[in-house]
PDB file of all heavy atoms in Angstrom:
ATOM      1  N   PRO A   2    -294.376 147.650  14.248  1.00  0.00           N
ATOM      2  CA  PRO A   2    -294.883 146.813  15.339  1.00  0.00           C
ATOM      3  C   PRO A   2    -295.736 147.535  16.373  1.00  0.00           C
ATOM      4  O   PRO A   2    -296.497 146.909  17.086  1.00  0.00           O
ATOM      5  CB  PRO A   2    -293.603 146.260  15.977  1.00  0.00           C
ATOM      6  CG  PRO A   2    -292.539 147.233  15.627  1.00  0.00           C
ATOM      7  CD  PRO A   2    -292.913 147.824  14.316  1.00  0.00           C
ATOM      8  N   GLU A   3    -295.608 148.857  16.473  1.00  0.00           N
ATOM      9  CA  GLU A   3    -296.388 149.589  17.476  1.00  0.00           C
ATOM     10  C   GLU A   3    -297.071 150.793  16.841  1.00  0.00           C
ATOM     11  O   GLU A   3    -296.457 151.816  16.593  1.00  0.00           O
ATOM     12  CB  GLU A   3    -295.495 150.054  18.636  1.00  0.00           C
ATOM     13  CG  GLU A   3    -295.190 148.956  19.633  1.00  0.00           C
ATOM     14  CD  GLU A   3    -294.739 149.494  20.982  1.00  0.00           C
ATOM     15  OE1 GLU A   3    -294.966 150.684  21.240  1.00  0.00           O
ATOM     16  OE2 GLU A   3    -294.166 148.719  21.746  1.00  0.00           O
ATOM     17  N   ILE A   4    -298.367 150.633  16.575  1.00  0.00           N
ATOM     18  CA  ILE A   4    -299.176 151.710  16.019  1.00  0.00           C
ATOM     19  C   ILE A   4    -300.294 152.017  17.003  1.00  0.00           C
ATOM     20  O   ILE A   4    -301.186 151.190  17.220  1.00  0.00           O
ATOM     21  CB  ILE A   4    -299.779 151.310  14.651  1.00  0.00           C
ATOM     22  CG1 ILE A   4    -298.664 151.008  13.650  1.00  0.00           C
ATOM     23  CG2 ILE A   4    -300.708 152.391  14.130  1.00  0.00           C
ATOM     24  CD1 ILE A   4    -297.804 152.194  13.315  1.00  0.00           C
ATOM     25  N   SER A   5    -300.246 153.170  17.626  1.00  0.00           N
ATOM     26  CA  SER A   5    -301.262 153.525  18.624  1.00  0.00           C
ATOM     27  C   SER A   5    -302.458 154.219  17.988  1.00  0.00           C
ATOM     28  O   SER A   5    -303.575 154.155  18.488  1.00  0.00           O
ATOM     29  CB  SER A   5    -300.660 154.418  19.713  1.00  0.00           C
ATOM     30  OG  SER A   5    -300.079 155.570  19.146  1.00  0.00           O
ATOM     31  N   GLU A   6    -302.244 154.889  16.833  1.00  0.00           N
ATOM     32  CA  GLU A   6    -303.333 155.580  16.142  1.00  0.00           C
ATOM     33  C   GLU A   6    -302.915 155.831  14.697  1.00  0.00           C
ATOM     34  O   GLU A   6    -301.750 155.706  14.331  1.00  0.00           O
ATOM     35  CB  GLU A   6    -303.671 156.898  16.837  1.00  0.00           C
ATOM     36  CG  GLU A   6    -302.462 157.805  17.056  1.00  0.00           C
ATOM     37  CD  GLU A   6    -302.813 159.037  17.874  1.00  0.00           C
ATOM     38  OE1 GLU A   6    -304.005 159.377  17.907  1.00  0.00           O
ATOM     39  OE2 GLU A   6    -301.914 159.632  18.461  1.00  0.00           O
ATOM     40  N   MET A   7    -303.888 156.180  13.847  1.00  0.00           N
ATOM     41  CA  MET A   7    -303.620 156.396  12.432  1.00  0.00           C
ATOM     42  C   MET A   7    -302.618 157.519  12.209  1.00  0.00           C
ATOM     43  O   MET A   7    -301.906 157.541  11.198  1.00  0.00           O
ATOM     44  CB  MET A   7    -304.919 156.719  11.696  1.00  0.00           C
ATOM     45  CG  MET A   7    -305.642 155.495  11.163  1.00  0.00           C
ATOM     46  SD  MET A   7    -304.587 154.448  10.108  1.00  0.00           S
ATOM     47  CE  MET A   7    -304.178 155.563   8.791  1.00  0.00           C
ATOM     48  N   TYR A   8    -302.517 158.410  13.160  1.00  0.00           N
ATOM     49  CA  TYR A   8    -301.551 159.510  13.041  1.00  0.00           C
ATOM     50  C   TYR A   8    -300.138 158.958  12.857  1.00  0.00           C
ATOM     51  O   TYR A   8    -299.339 159.516  12.100  1.00  0.00           O
ATOM     52  CB  TYR A   8    -301.624 160.400  14.281  1.00  0.00           C
ATOM     53  CG  TYR A   8    -300.510 161.421  14.367  1.00  0.00           C
ATOM     54  CD1 TYR A   8    -300.544 162.570  13.571  1.00  0.00           C
ATOM     55  CD2 TYR A   8    -299.422 161.235  15.218  1.00  0.00           C
ATOM     56  CE1 TYR A   8    -299.527 163.510  13.631  1.00  0.00           C
ATOM     57  CE2 TYR A   8    -298.397 162.164  15.283  1.00  0.00           C
ATOM     58  CZ  TYR A   8    -298.452 163.300  14.496  1.00  0.00           C
ATOM     59  OH  TYR A   8    -297.433 164.226  14.553  1.00  0.00           O
ATOM     60  N   ASN A   9    -299.824 157.856  13.554  1.00  0.00           N
ATOM     61  CA  ASN A   9    -298.499 157.242  13.420  1.00  0.00           C
ATOM     62  C   ASN A   9    -298.248 156.785  11.987  1.00  0.00           C
ATOM     63  O   ASN A   9    -297.165 156.988  11.432  1.00  0.00           O
ATOM     64  CB  ASN A   9    -298.367 156.040  14.357  1.00  0.00           C
ATOM     65  CG  ASN A   9    -298.490 156.423  15.825  1.00  0.00           C
ATOM     66  OD1 ASN A   9    -299.102 155.705  16.601  1.00  0.00           O
ATOM     67  ND2 ASN A   9    -297.930 157.563  16.211  1.00  0.00           N
ATOM     68  N   ILE A  10    -299.265 156.164  11.388  1.00  0.00           N
ATOM     69  CA  ILE A  10    -299.152 155.688  10.011  1.00  0.00           C
ATOM     70  C   ILE A  10    -298.914 156.860   9.064  1.00  0.00           C
ATOM     71  O   ILE A  10    -297.993 156.843   8.237  1.00  0.00           O
ATOM     72  CB  ILE A  10    -300.435 154.934   9.598  1.00  0.00           C
ATOM     73  CG1 ILE A  10    -300.510 153.566  10.295  1.00  0.00           C
ATOM     74  CG2 ILE A  10    -300.488 154.746   8.082  1.00  0.00           C
ATOM     75  CD1 ILE A  10    -299.607 152.512   9.728  1.00  0.00           C
ATOM     76  N   ASP A  11    -299.742 157.883   9.184  1.00  0.00           N
ATOM     77  CA  ASP A  11    -299.627 159.043   8.291  1.00  0.00           C
ATOM     78  C   ASP A  11    -298.265 159.718   8.429  1.00  0.00           C
ATOM     79  O   ASP A  11    -297.648 160.107   7.432  1.00  0.00           O
ATOM     80  CB  ASP A  11    -300.733 160.057   8.595  1.00  0.00           C
ATOM     81  CG  ASP A  11    -302.121 159.521   8.256  1.00  0.00           C
ATOM     82  OD1 ASP A  11    -302.207 158.654   7.372  1.00  0.00           O
ATOM     83  OD2 ASP A  11    -303.095 159.944   8.887  1.00  0.00           O
ATOM     84  N   LEU A  12    -297.796 159.844   9.656  1.00  0.00           N
ATOM     85  CA  LEU A  12    -296.519 160.520   9.900  1.00  0.00           C
ATOM     86  C   LEU A  12    -295.369 159.758   9.246  1.00  0.00           C
ATOM     87  O   LEU A  12    -294.494 160.352   8.608  1.00  0.00           O
ATOM     88  CB  LEU A  12    -296.281 160.652  11.410  1.00  0.00           C
ATOM     89  CG  LEU A  12    -295.036 161.454  11.834  1.00  0.00           C
ATOM     90  CD1 LEU A  12    -295.143 162.888  11.345  1.00  0.00           C
ATOM     91  CD2 LEU A  12    -294.878 161.419  13.350  1.00  0.00           C
ATOM     92  N   ILE A  13    -295.371 158.442   9.396  1.00  0.00           N
ATOM     93  CA  ILE A  13    -294.293 157.623   8.826  1.00  0.00           C
ATOM     94  C   ILE A  13    -294.319 157.696   7.307  1.00  0.00           C
ATOM     95  O   ILE A  13    -293.277 157.828   6.650  1.00  0.00           O
ATOM     96  CB  ILE A  13    -294.416 156.163   9.314  1.00  0.00           C
ATOM     97  CG1 ILE A  13    -294.119 156.094  10.817  1.00  0.00           C
ATOM     98  CG2 ILE A  13    -293.461 155.251   8.550  1.00  0.00           C
ATOM     99  CD1 ILE A  13    -294.485 154.781  11.458  1.00  0.00           C
ATOM    100  N   GLN A  14    -295.516 157.626   6.710  1.00  0.00           N
ATOM    101  CA  GLN A  14    -295.618 157.699   5.254  1.00  0.00           C
ATOM    102  C   GLN A  14    -295.134 159.057   4.751  1.00  0.00           C
ATOM    103  O   GLN A  14    -294.441 159.149   3.725  1.00  0.00           O
ATOM    104  CB  GLN A  14    -297.058 157.456   4.794  1.00  0.00           C
ATOM    105  CG  GLN A  14    -297.691 156.172   5.295  1.00  0.00           C
ATOM    106  CD  GLN A  14    -296.834 154.945   5.066  1.00  0.00           C
ATOM    107  OE1 GLN A  14    -296.313 154.737   3.978  1.00  0.00           O
ATOM    108  NE2 GLN A  14    -296.668 154.135   6.104  1.00  0.00           N
ATOM    109  N   GLU A  15    -295.489 160.114   5.462  1.00  0.00           N
ATOM    110  CA  GLU A  15    -295.056 161.456   5.057  1.00  0.00           C
ATOM    111  C   GLU A  15    -293.536 161.573   5.099  1.00  0.00           C
ATOM    112  O   GLU A  15    -292.925 162.214   4.234  1.00  0.00           O
ATOM    113  CB  GLU A  15    -295.699 162.509   5.956  1.00  0.00           C
ATOM    114  CG  GLU A  15    -297.195 162.720   5.680  1.00  0.00           C
ATOM    115  CD  GLU A  15    -297.879 163.546   6.753  1.00  0.00           C
ATOM    116  OE1 GLU A  15    -297.159 164.112   7.611  1.00  0.00           O
ATOM    117  OE2 GLU A  15    -299.122 163.622   6.742  1.00  0.00           O
ATOM    118  N   ARG A  16    -292.925 160.954   6.108  1.00  0.00           N
ATOM    119  CA  ARG A  16    -291.452 160.959   6.196  1.00  0.00           C
ATOM    120  C   ARG A  16    -290.841 160.254   4.987  1.00  0.00           C
ATOM    121  O   ARG A  16    -289.855 160.713   4.410  1.00  0.00           O
ATOM    122  CB  ARG A  16    -291.013 160.240   7.473  1.00  0.00           C
ATOM    123  CG  ARG A  16    -291.091 161.072   8.736  1.00  0.00           C
ATOM    124  CD  ARG A  16    -290.372 160.313   9.832  1.00  0.00           C
ATOM    125  NE  ARG A  16    -290.846 160.677  11.134  1.00  0.00           N
ATOM    126  CZ  ARG A  16    -290.897 159.854  12.178  1.00  0.00           C
ATOM    127  NH1 ARG A  16    -290.523 158.595  12.039  1.00  0.00           N
ATOM    128  NH2 ARG A  16    -291.311 160.264  13.353  1.00  0.00           N
ATOM    129  N   ILE A  17    -291.408 159.109   4.624  1.00  0.00           N
ATOM    130  CA  ILE A  17    -290.879 158.336   3.496  1.00  0.00           C
ATOM    131  C   ILE A  17    -290.993 159.135   2.208  1.00  0.00           C
ATOM    132  O   ILE A  17    -290.026 159.258   1.442  1.00  0.00           O
ATOM    133  CB  ILE A  17    -291.622 156.988   3.376  1.00  0.00           C
ATOM    134  CG1 ILE A  17    -291.298 156.087   4.578  1.00  0.00           C
ATOM    135  CG2 ILE A  17    -291.236 156.279   2.078  1.00  0.00           C
ATOM    136  CD1 ILE A  17    -292.120 154.819   4.641  1.00  0.00           C
ATOM    137  N   PHE A  18    -292.168 159.711   1.959  1.00  0.00           N
ATOM    138  CA  PHE A  18    -292.364 160.464   0.718  1.00  0.00           C
ATOM    139  C   PHE A  18    -291.488 161.717   0.687  1.00  0.00           C
ATOM    140  O   PHE A  18    -290.974 162.098  -0.374  1.00  0.00           O
ATOM    141  CB  PHE A  18    -293.839 160.826   0.548  1.00  0.00           C
ATOM    142  CG  PHE A  18    -294.667 159.687   0.017  1.00  0.00           C
ATOM    143  CD1 PHE A  18    -295.294 158.805   0.878  1.00  0.00           C
ATOM    144  CD2 PHE A  18    -294.792 159.488  -1.348  1.00  0.00           C
ATOM    145  CE1 PHE A  18    -296.041 157.750   0.400  1.00  0.00           C
ATOM    146  CE2 PHE A  18    -295.535 158.425  -1.839  1.00  0.00           C
ATOM    147  CZ  PHE A  18    -296.166 157.554  -0.968  1.00  0.00           C
ATOM    148  N   ALA A  19    -291.297 162.350   1.836  1.00  0.00           N
ATOM    149  CA  ALA A  19    -290.425 163.527   1.898  1.00  0.00           C
ATOM    150  C   ALA A  19    -288.990 163.150   1.563  1.00  0.00           C
ATOM    151  O   ALA A  19    -288.273 163.887   0.863  1.00  0.00           O
ATOM    152  CB  ALA A  19    -290.510 164.170   3.274  1.00  0.00           C
ATOM    153  N   ALA A  20    -288.544 161.991   2.044  1.00  0.00           N
ATOM    154  CA  ALA A  20    -287.175 161.535   1.776  1.00  0.00           C
ATOM    155  C   ALA A  20    -286.980 161.235   0.286  1.00  0.00           C
ATOM    156  O   ALA A  20    -285.945 161.545  -0.300  1.00  0.00           O
ATOM    157  CB  ALA A  20    -286.867 160.295   2.615  1.00  0.00           C
ATOM    158  N   PHE A  21    -287.998 160.647  -0.341  1.00  0.00           N
ATOM    159  CA  PHE A  21    -287.893 160.321  -1.767  1.00  0.00           C
ATOM    160  C   PHE A  21    -287.854 161.579  -2.631  1.00  0.00           C
ATOM    161  O   PHE A  21    -287.252 161.577  -3.707  1.00  0.00           O
ATOM    162  CB  PHE A  21    -289.073 159.442  -2.187  1.00  0.00           C
ATOM    163  CG  PHE A  21    -288.807 157.965  -2.053  1.00  0.00           C
ATOM    164  CD1 PHE A  21    -288.920 157.329  -0.827  1.00  0.00           C
ATOM    165  CD2 PHE A  21    -288.448 157.208  -3.149  1.00  0.00           C
ATOM    166  CE1 PHE A  21    -288.684 155.982  -0.698  1.00  0.00           C
ATOM    167  CE2 PHE A  21    -288.202 155.856  -3.035  1.00  0.00           C
ATOM    168  CZ  PHE A  21    -288.316 155.232  -1.809  1.00  0.00           C
ATOM    169  N   LYS A  22    -288.509 162.637  -2.189  1.00  0.00           N
ATOM    170  CA  LYS A  22    -288.573 163.852  -2.992  1.00  0.00           C
ATOM    171  C   LYS A  22    -287.199 164.482  -3.212  1.00  0.00           C
ATOM    172  O   LYS A  22    -287.002 165.247  -4.152  1.00  0.00           O
ATOM    173  CB  LYS A  22    -289.505 164.869  -2.326  1.00  0.00           C
ATOM    174  CG  LYS A  22    -290.977 164.575  -2.554  1.00  0.00           C
ATOM    175  CD  LYS A  22    -291.859 165.631  -1.927  1.00  0.00           C
ATOM    176  CE  LYS A  22    -293.334 165.320  -2.167  1.00  0.00           C
ATOM    177  NZ  LYS A  22    -294.225 166.306  -1.507  1.00  0.00           N
ATOM    178  N   GLN A  23    -286.245 164.162  -2.344  1.00  0.00           N
ATOM    179  CA  GLN A  23    -284.901 164.719  -2.483  1.00  0.00           C
ATOM    180  C   GLN A  23    -284.142 164.107  -3.657  1.00  0.00           C
ATOM    181  O   GLN A  23    -283.148 164.652  -4.111  1.00  0.00           O
ATOM    182  CB  GLN A  23    -284.116 164.516  -1.192  1.00  0.00           C
ATOM    183  CG  GLN A  23    -284.741 165.228   0.006  1.00  0.00           C
ATOM    184  CD  GLN A  23    -284.017 164.917   1.299  1.00  0.00           C
ATOM    185  OE1 GLN A  23    -282.898 164.414   1.281  1.00  0.00           O
ATOM    186  NE2 GLN A  23    -284.645 165.213   2.423  1.00  0.00           N
ATOM    187  N   GLY A  24    -284.625 162.970  -4.152  1.00  0.00           N
ATOM    188  CA  GLY A  24    -283.963 162.301  -5.271  1.00  0.00           C
ATOM    189  C   GLY A  24    -282.725 161.540  -4.820  1.00  0.00           C
ATOM    190  O   GLY A  24    -282.326 161.577  -3.644  1.00  0.00           O
ATOM    191  N   PHE A  25    -282.094 160.845  -5.764  1.00  0.00           N
ATOM    192  CA  PHE A  25    -280.934 160.005  -5.465  1.00  0.00           C
ATOM    193  C   PHE A  25    -279.824 160.306  -6.467  1.00  0.00           C
ATOM    194  O   PHE A  25    -280.027 160.172  -7.680  1.00  0.00           O
ATOM    195  CB  PHE A  25    -281.321 158.523  -5.530  1.00  0.00           C
ATOM    196  CG  PHE A  25    -282.427 158.151  -4.573  1.00  0.00           C
ATOM    197  CD1 PHE A  25    -283.758 158.240  -4.965  1.00  0.00           C
ATOM    198  CD2 PHE A  25    -282.139 157.740  -3.286  1.00  0.00           C
ATOM    199  CE1 PHE A  25    -284.782 157.909  -4.094  1.00  0.00           C
ATOM    200  CE2 PHE A  25    -283.156 157.417  -2.406  1.00  0.00           C
ATOM    201  CZ  PHE A  25    -284.481 157.498  -2.805  1.00  0.00           C
ATOM    202  N   LYS A  26    -278.671 160.699  -5.964  1.00  0.00           N
ATOM    203  CA  LYS A  26    -277.532 161.008  -6.832  1.00  0.00           C
ATOM    204  C   LYS A  26    -276.645 159.774  -6.945  1.00  0.00           C
ATOM    205  O   LYS A  26    -276.077 159.302  -5.956  1.00  0.00           O
ATOM    206  CB  LYS A  26    -276.745 162.194  -6.274  1.00  0.00           C
ATOM    207  CG  LYS A  26    -275.623 162.651  -7.204  1.00  0.00           C
ATOM    208  CD  LYS A  26    -275.016 163.950  -6.717  1.00  0.00           C
ATOM    209  CE  LYS A  26    -273.853 164.391  -7.592  1.00  0.00           C
ATOM    210  NZ  LYS A  26    -274.233 164.515  -9.009  1.00  0.00           N
ATOM    211  N   ILE A  27    -276.556 159.236  -8.157  1.00  0.00           N
ATOM    212  CA  ILE A  27    -275.753 158.035  -8.414  1.00  0.00           C
ATOM    213  C   ILE A  27    -274.851 158.311  -9.615  1.00  0.00           C
ATOM    214  O   ILE A  27    -275.343 158.608 -10.711  1.00  0.00           O
ATOM    215  CB  ILE A  27    -276.651 156.812  -8.691  1.00  0.00           C
ATOM    216  CG1 ILE A  27    -277.581 156.551  -7.499  1.00  0.00           C
ATOM    217  CG2 ILE A  27    -275.803 155.590  -8.982  1.00  0.00           C
ATOM    218  CD1 ILE A  27    -278.590 155.468  -7.748  1.00  0.00           C
ATOM    219  N   ASP A  28    -273.552 158.226  -9.403  1.00  0.00           N
ATOM    220  CA  ASP A  28    -272.573 158.539 -10.441  1.00  0.00           C
ATOM    221  C   ASP A  28    -272.869 159.949 -10.976  1.00  0.00           C
ATOM    222  O   ASP A  28    -272.891 160.893 -10.219  1.00  0.00           O
ATOM    223  CB  ASP A  28    -272.593 157.480 -11.544  1.00  0.00           C
ATOM    224  CG  ASP A  28    -272.166 156.106 -11.011  1.00  0.00           C
ATOM    225  OD1 ASP A  28    -271.604 156.051  -9.895  1.00  0.00           O
ATOM    226  OD2 ASP A  28    -272.408 155.090 -11.681  1.00  0.00           O
ATOM    227  N   ASN A  29    -273.144 160.059 -12.262  1.00  0.00           N
ATOM    228  CA  ASN A  29    -273.431 161.387 -12.832  1.00  0.00           C
ATOM    229  C   ASN A  29    -274.920 161.632 -13.020  1.00  0.00           C
ATOM    230  O   ASN A  29    -275.321 162.572 -13.706  1.00  0.00           O
ATOM    231  CB  ASN A  29    -272.727 161.540 -14.189  1.00  0.00           C
ATOM    232  CG  ASN A  29    -271.213 161.526 -14.034  1.00  0.00           C
ATOM    233  OD1 ASN A  29    -270.688 162.064 -13.060  1.00  0.00           O
ATOM    234  ND2 ASN A  29    -270.529 160.911 -14.978  1.00  0.00           N
ATOM    235  N   TYR A  30    -275.735 160.788 -12.398  1.00  0.00           N
ATOM    236  CA  TYR A  30    -277.181 160.903 -12.567  1.00  0.00           C
ATOM    237  C   TYR A  30    -277.834 161.405 -11.276  1.00  0.00           C
ATOM    238  O   TYR A  30    -277.408 161.059 -10.175  1.00  0.00           O
ATOM    239  CB  TYR A  30    -277.792 159.548 -12.919  1.00  0.00           C
ATOM    240  CG  TYR A  30    -277.242 158.933 -14.181  1.00  0.00           C
ATOM    241  CD1 TYR A  30    -276.255 157.939 -14.120  1.00  0.00           C
ATOM    242  CD2 TYR A  30    -277.698 159.331 -15.433  1.00  0.00           C
ATOM    243  CE1 TYR A  30    -275.748 157.365 -15.272  1.00  0.00           C
ATOM    244  CE2 TYR A  30    -277.195 158.763 -16.591  1.00  0.00           C
ATOM    245  CZ  TYR A  30    -276.219 157.781 -16.506  1.00  0.00           C
ATOM    246  OH  TYR A  30    -275.720 157.213 -17.646  1.00  0.00           O
ATOM    247  N   HIS A  31    -278.868 162.215 -11.450  1.00  0.00           N
ATOM    248  CA  HIS A  31    -279.735 162.574 -10.324  1.00  0.00           C
ATOM    249  C   HIS A  31    -281.096 161.969 -10.633  1.00  0.00           C
ATOM    250  O   HIS A  31    -281.821 162.451 -11.514  1.00  0.00           O
ATOM    251  CB  HIS A  31    -279.846 164.081 -10.154  1.00  0.00           C
ATOM    252  CG  HIS A  31    -280.615 164.466  -8.924  1.00  0.00           C
ATOM    253  ND1 HIS A  31    -280.027 164.556  -7.673  1.00  0.00           N
ATOM    254  CD2 HIS A  31    -281.932 164.745  -8.734  1.00  0.00           C
ATOM    255  CE1 HIS A  31    -280.948 164.883  -6.784  1.00  0.00           C
ATOM    256  NE2 HIS A  31    -282.116 165.005  -7.409  1.00  0.00           N
ATOM    257  N   LEU A  32    -281.424 160.882  -9.939  1.00  0.00           N
ATOM    258  CA  LEU A  32    -282.628 160.115 -10.264  1.00  0.00           C
ATOM    259  C   LEU A  32    -283.779 160.488  -9.342  1.00  0.00           C
ATOM    260  O   LEU A  32    -283.622 160.539  -8.118  1.00  0.00           O
ATOM    261  CB  LEU A  32    -282.336 158.615 -10.142  1.00  0.00           C
ATOM    262  CG  LEU A  32    -281.174 158.090 -10.995  1.00  0.00           C
ATOM    263  CD1 LEU A  32    -280.968 156.616 -10.744  1.00  0.00           C
ATOM    264  CD2 LEU A  32    -281.424 158.362 -12.470  1.00  0.00           C
ATOM    265  N   ASN A  33    -284.924 160.741  -9.949  1.00  0.00           N
ATOM    266  CA  ASN A  33    -286.146 160.988  -9.189  1.00  0.00           C
ATOM    267  C   ASN A  33    -287.069 159.792  -9.374  1.00  0.00           C
ATOM    268  O   ASN A  33    -287.434 159.457 -10.504  1.00  0.00           O
ATOM    269  CB  ASN A  33    -286.837 162.266  -9.677  1.00  0.00           C
ATOM    270  CG  ASN A  33    -286.038 163.505  -9.322  1.00  0.00           C
ATOM    271  OD1 ASN A  33    -285.853 163.811  -8.151  1.00  0.00           O
ATOM    272  ND2 ASN A  33    -285.543 164.212 -10.327  1.00  0.00           N
ATOM    273  N   ILE A  34    -287.409 159.162  -8.285  1.00  0.00           N
ATOM    274  CA  ILE A  34    -288.300 158.007  -8.340  1.00  0.00           C
ATOM    275  C   ILE A  34    -289.248 158.092  -7.153  1.00  0.00           C
ATOM    276  O   ILE A  34    -288.870 158.576  -6.078  1.00  0.00           O
ATOM    277  CB  ILE A  34    -287.507 156.676  -8.319  1.00  0.00           C
ATOM    278  CG1 ILE A  34    -288.420 155.503  -8.677  1.00  0.00           C
ATOM    279  CG2 ILE A  34    -286.802 156.448  -6.988  1.00  0.00           C
ATOM    280  CD1 ILE A  34    -287.651 154.241  -9.024  1.00  0.00           C
ATOM    281  N   SER A  35    -290.462 157.671  -7.363  1.00  0.00           N
ATOM    282  CA  SER A  35    -291.472 157.781  -6.299  1.00  0.00           C
ATOM    283  C   SER A  35    -291.910 156.399  -5.842  1.00  0.00           C
ATOM    284  O   SER A  35    -291.835 155.431  -6.601  1.00  0.00           O
ATOM    285  CB  SER A  35    -292.682 158.578  -6.805  1.00  0.00           C
ATOM    286  OG  SER A  35    -293.251 157.934  -7.931  1.00  0.00           O
ATOM    287  N   PRO A  36    -292.398 156.295  -4.594  1.00  0.00           N
ATOM    288  CA  PRO A  36    -292.920 155.024  -4.112  1.00  0.00           C
ATOM    289  C   PRO A  36    -294.449 154.997  -4.153  1.00  0.00           C
ATOM    290  O   PRO A  36    -295.105 156.038  -4.118  1.00  0.00           O
ATOM    291  CB  PRO A  36    -292.432 154.987  -2.658  1.00  0.00           C
ATOM    292  CG  PRO A  36    -292.461 156.434  -2.237  1.00  0.00           C
ATOM    293  CD  PRO A  36    -292.197 157.252  -3.484  1.00  0.00           C
ATOM    294  N   SER A  37    -294.996 153.817  -4.246  1.00  0.00           N
ATOM    295  CA  SER A  37    -296.422 153.587  -4.010  1.00  0.00           C
ATOM    296  C   SER A  37    -296.508 152.601  -2.845  1.00  0.00           C
ATOM    297  O   SER A  37    -295.743 151.629  -2.798  1.00  0.00           O
ATOM    298  CB  SER A  37    -297.103 153.013  -5.243  1.00  0.00           C
ATOM    299  OG  SER A  37    -297.115 153.953  -6.291  1.00  0.00           O
TER     300      SER A  37
END
C-alpha cells in the first residue's frame, strides 16, 4: 500500500527471493522451489 520509490519494490522482492533460497523442510523432504 505504500511505495515511495522503486527501491522499496526491489528491497521487498529481494527479501522474498532470499527467504525462498533457504528451502522448505517438510517431513523427510527438503524442498527447493522458486517464485516468479
Side-chain angles (χ1 to χ4, degrees):
E3 281 200 17
I4 299 296
S5 56
E6 53 186 339
M7 270 306 299
Y8 170 76
N9 298 140
I10 287 284
D11 293 333
L12 185 62
I13 292 168
Q14 306 310 313
E15 287 168 10
R16 279 191 205 148
I17 293 172
F18 280 91
F21 269 81
K22 281 182 180 177
Q23 298 175 16
F25 301 89
K26 186 171 177 56
I27 301 174
D28 296 345
N29 295 323
Y30 301 99
H31 186 85
L32 303 178
N33 291 296
I34 192 165
S35 59
S37 294

